[in-house]
Amino acid sequence: FWCSLGGVPGGTISNTLAVAALWTPRGSNTITDVVDAVVLENQGWNDGCYLRLATHTILRTPLVNGTPYRLTFTSLSEGNGYMGLSSVAGGINIVAGENVIDFTPVGSSEPNATFLNVNLGTTIGHTEQIGSDVTVEIL
């Protein structure tokens, strides 16, 4: 079973950096690559930007509904966001430094994959910087 997923429990299934081209801005928000990170900037849409967890973004194998995973990423500041199409109810707090979120996909199938959404507050020009080394592991 685990071999068909391309990994084993505890195995990492992400295999590429989460660069700006793989993120999706909401509305007119912008996403820019910087060294080892992306900068998400509020251009009038508080809902921020999101990264789909899919094979057409950072994964080498698709997520499987009902299977537990761990998402790990770094942020340079505190903020908030949410995990779409997952078992994580409500918002998530993003801390400065390493962030670890355990989740299970629910109703997730490609290209409508589970996603990490980073909110951008209410101030136009507000930015969040997220490290491009976003990893997903099978638990």
Side-chain angles (χ1 to χ4, degrees):
F1 171 76
W2 290 108
C3 290
S4 68
L5 291 177
V8 295
T12 300
I13 64 167
S14 51
N15 65 341
T16 192
L17 295 176
V19 296
L22 301 178
W23 284 78
T24 302
R26 294 189 184 274
S28 58
N29 293 336
T30 60
I31 306 162
T32 308
D33 286 312
V34 294
V35 176
D36 297 328
V38 294
V39 174
L40 315 174
E41 184 171 354
N42 182 331
Q43 296 292 329
W45 295 79
N46 304 343
D47 292 337
C49 305
Y50 63 93
L51 174 67
R52 290 188 190 278
L53 303 178
T55 57
H56 63 276
T57 59
I58 67 167
L59 303 182
R60 71 174 166 260
T61 59
L63 297 176
V64 176
N65 285 328
T67 299
Y69 296 91
R70 174 167 289 155
L71 174 74
T72 306
F73 65 95
T74 58
S75 177
L76 289 186
S77 61
E78 295 180 358
N80 59 62
Y82 59 92
M83 293 289 297
L85 296 175
S86 81
S87 60
V88 179
I92 57 171
N93 291 322
I94 296 172
V95 299
E98 184 177 66
N99 290 265
V100 178
I101 303 166
D102 292 344
F103 72 96
T104 302
V106 177
S108 177
S109 61
E110 296 195 44
N112 194 30
T114 297
F115 59 92
L116 167 65
N117 192 91
V118 177
N119 296 333
L120 290 173
T122 59
T123 305
I124 292 176
H126 174 80
T127 63
E128 297 288 338
Q129 188 167 332
I130 305 295
S132 53
D133 187 14
V134 177
T135 60
V136 178
E137 299 172 86
I138 302 168
L139 292 180

